[in-house]
């Protein structure tokens, strides 16, 4: 997946410009983003501060790691169950 060239602080600055009165079309042209991207950012980051966004990213990363861990353990468990069934 392609990494965004905009980090959280830049996204917050862009959203603040919209709150200040710039239209979405102007912002899209200025920063080279689509209207859809702007509205996705707005739905995800509206009303958040920089520290809240960083915390959300940390929680998302931790959640991703835990999901991978669960998937690995689940596969291991299934293999062990099949092995036990074959032996008995």
């Amino acid at each position: 997946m392609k990494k965004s060239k905009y980090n959280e602080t830049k996204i917050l600055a862009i959203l603040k410009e919209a709150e200040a009165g710039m239209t979405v079309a102007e912002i899209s042209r200025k920063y080279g983003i689509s209207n859809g991207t702007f509205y996705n950012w707005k739905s995800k980051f509206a009303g958040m501060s920089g520290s809240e966004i960083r915390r959300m990213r940390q929680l998302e990363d931790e959640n991703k790691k835990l999901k991978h861990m669960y998937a690995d353990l689940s596969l291991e468990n299934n293999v062990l169950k099949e092995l036990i069934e074959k032996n008995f």
Side-chain angles (χ1 to χ4, degrees):
M1 199 165 144
K2 184 178 177 184
K3 184 175 177 175
S4 175
K5 63 181 176 180
Y6 298 104
N7 61 18
E8 292 90 9
T9 55
K10 287 182 183 178
I11 292 171
L12 285 177
I14 292 170
L15 293 176
K16 287 186 185 198
E17 285 185 26
E19 290 174 3
M22 281 184 78
T23 64
V24 175
E26 290 172 342
I27 291 172
S28 296
R29 265 186 262 117
K30 182 178 178 181
Y31 293 102
I33 60 173
S34 69
N35 290 349
T37 299
F38 174 82
Y39 287 115
N40 284 338
W41 287 348
K42 186 175 179 182
S43 68
K44 191 171 184 179
F45 299 117
M48 291 183 145
S49 67
S51 62
E52 290 173 333
I53 290 176
R54 281 188 289 281
R55 179 69 180 142
M56 183 182 66
R57 292 269 191 220
Q58 288 173 345
L59 290 173
E60 286 174 349
D61 291 342
E62 184 179 353
N63 191 27
K64 184 178 176 183
K65 288 176 187 176
L66 290 172
K67 284 182 179 182
H68 281 280
M69 224 186 311
Y70 173 76
D72 291 340
L73 288 173
S74 178
L75 286 172
E76 249 181 65
N77 188 21
N78 287 338
V79 168
L80 289 173
K81 281 182 181 179
E82 288 177 8
L83 184 65
I84 289 172
E85 287 176 1
K86 285 181 183 179
N87 287 339
F88 292 107

